[in-house]
């Protein structure tokens, strides 16, 4: 991996991280339930400004440049050579504006829904946004770990305070799974610090010669944290319970961004630091990914709770991501980076689609106070505008061509066929299962005659909700019709990573 140079541009990454955190603290300090209107406006301003400060990253990003861009380095804890070191490349660029964008949508979605502790709710999401961006930007191992673990705190509070009846159980399950999964990662980070001669610099670790035994230990240690976060089979069981109990905004951010932190970890740590172990264990990772794609897709098919169904569909979609990352094709061959680019595209696309799906279910729940598929039917007769959006997002969720959901899955399947025909065939079955569970749910909820008096009393989405869904729909459609801005930015970084992984680091 190529070394980076310190950026002469303004500290865009620091602004992207700390602007939402500072606005979150400001909202907590000034917001009161008796002046909830002011709190909501201040939160929206904070989320909007936080999104705007991420746009120069896209504007000034050099698609052809190798290594990290927008690099910032400042001593943090000098005694242990710990740096406040930030940087992004084509692997991480789009997750910064995606995180800020989803935060804006979440603030809008909660405008009329959250009536108590409004400042705490909005402040928690703003602070969480900054911390998640920190994960994608950190280039110091301990700084990464700090941001990675710190994201648990606001999400734990969001689930535990504003969640459903079993919110305490769900919040503790979320925290314990993800926290204990990360303990081995801390051990691996400390080990790398020692063998590198006292450096927490991630790029230094990329160049560090390691034996196969060391690489295998490091790979498995990182796997414990990243697999839980994705989540991969068989450590996925926490996600459906958490999604069911989390408030709508919590589910949207969890699916859209937090799951991506684990997948991103594979790209930044597992593959470049332990390339020999990554190649050696690729069959194991591909197997787990295919189980997620096929088995979890079948599990989604039998769910009766809409949130649980979409939660399981998220696990299946993230299986596509890890599948794309671990099919190593000779980097000299044409199209060798197709699968990995497809995995990253799937991460970005899933961020928009999963958020839209959970927000759609939230809109129904706010009106009928039920997530059970059987409690609906004929919704189109009372909510035609909502029904149009729901059907569109459901089709995008199952990979309809011309939507963003198709792009990533298609690229991964193309890469899988190039890697191994049978793996490609098994991966392609996800398109069938995705259509089955997504469209069958849409059919039972949206179409038919009005099923009961609860549906008969439903009112269609208002202007605020229409704007929110329309923006998400435009992004999903635009990304599906013209994915080039996304694929062009990641092409150089993916090629560099694959070339790096193709070379042994054994001493």
């Amino acid at each position: 991996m190529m070394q980076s140079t310190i950026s002469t541009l303004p500290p865009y990454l620091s602004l992207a991280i700390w602007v939402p955190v500072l606005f979150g603290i400001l909202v907590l300090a000034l917001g009161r339930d008796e002046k909830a209107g002011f709190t909501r406006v201040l939160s929206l301003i904070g989320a909007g400004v936080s999104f705007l400060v991420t746009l120069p990253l896209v504007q000034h990003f050099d698609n052809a440049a190798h290594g990290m861009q927008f690099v910032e380095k400042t001593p943090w804890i000098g005694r242990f050579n710990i740096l406040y070191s930030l940087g992004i490349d084509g692997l991480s660029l789009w997750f910064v504006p995606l995180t800020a964008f989803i935060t804006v949508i979440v603030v809008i979605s909660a405008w009329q829904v959250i009536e108590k502790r409004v400042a705490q709710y909005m402040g928690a999401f703003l602070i969480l946004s900054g911390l998640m961006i920190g994960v994608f930007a950190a280039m110091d191992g301990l700084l990464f770990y700090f941001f990675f673990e710190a994201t648990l705190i606001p999400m734990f509070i969001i689930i535990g305070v504003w969640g459903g009846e079993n919110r305490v159980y769900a919040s503790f399950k979320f925290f314990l799974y993800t926290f204990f999964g990360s303990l081995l990662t801390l051990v691996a980070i400390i080990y790398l610090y020692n063998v590198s001669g006292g450096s927490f610099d991630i790029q230094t670790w990329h160049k560090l010669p390691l034996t196969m035994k060391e690489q295998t230990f490091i790979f498995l240690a990182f796997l414990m944290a990243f697999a839980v976060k994705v989540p991969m089979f068989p450590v996925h069981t926490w996600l459906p319970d958490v999604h069911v109990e989390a408030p709508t905004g919590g589910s949207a951010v969890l699916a859209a961004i937090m799951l991506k932190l684990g997948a991103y970890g594979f790209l930044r740590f597992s593959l470049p630091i332990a390339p020999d172990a990554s190649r050696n264990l690729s069959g194991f990772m591909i197997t787990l990914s295919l189980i997620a794609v096929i088995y979890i897709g079948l599990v989604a098919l039998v769910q009766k709770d809409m949130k649980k169904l979409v939660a399981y569909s998220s696990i299946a979609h993230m299986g596509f991501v890890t599948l794309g990352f671990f099919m190593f094709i000779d980097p000299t061959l044409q199209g060798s980076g197709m699968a990995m680019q497809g995995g990253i595209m799937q991460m970005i696309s899933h961020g928009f689609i999963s958020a839209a799906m959970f927000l759609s279910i939230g809109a129904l729940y706010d009106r009928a106070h039920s997530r059970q598929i059987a409690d609906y039917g004929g919704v189109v007769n009372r909510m035609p505008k909502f029904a149009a959006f729901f059907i569109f997002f459901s089709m995008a969720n199952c990979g309809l061509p011309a939507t963003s959901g198709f792009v990533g899955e298609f690229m991964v399947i193309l890469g899988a066929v190039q890697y191994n025909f049978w793996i490609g065939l098994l991966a392609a079955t996800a398109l069938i299962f995705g259509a089955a569970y997504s469209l069958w749910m849409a059919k039972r909820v949206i179409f038919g005659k009005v099923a009961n008096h609860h549906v008969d009393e439903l009112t269609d989405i208002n202007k605020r909700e229409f704007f929110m869904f329309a923006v998400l729909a435009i992004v999903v459609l635009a990304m599906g019709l013209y994915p080039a801005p996304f694929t062009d930015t990641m092409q150089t970084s993916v090629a560099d990573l694959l070339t790096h992984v193709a070379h042994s680091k054994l001493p």
Side-chain angles (χ1 to χ4, degrees), residues 14 140 145-146 150 268 331 371 413 439 446 483 485-486:
S14 285
D140 180 276
Y145 188 79
F146 166 77
R268 189 63 73 213
R371 292 182 296 265
I413 291 170
L439 298 182
I446 300 298
F486 298 90

Side-chain angles (χ1 to χ4, degrees), residues 41-82:
V41 171
L42 181 60
S43 302
L44 184 59
I45 292 171
V49 172
S50 301
F51 175 62
L52 291 175
V53 299
T54 66
L55 297 182
L57 295 169
V58 178
Q59 180 185 356
H60 297 293
F61 189 83
D62 184 353
N63 293 349
H66 298 271
M68 308 303 292
Q69 301 182 43
F70 307 100
V71 174
E72 301 173 35
K73 282 191 179 182
T74 305
W76 181 23
I77 306 174
R79 182 180 174 186
F80 299 104
N81 196 24
I82 302 171

Side-chain angles (χ1 to χ4, degrees), residues 210-217 275-280 506-507:
L210 297 165
T211 65
M212 180 60 82
K213 187 176 180 181
E214 288 175 313
Q215 288 191 41
T216 303
F217 157 71
D276 300 280
S278 298
R279 293 196 304 272
N280 196 38
L506 297 176

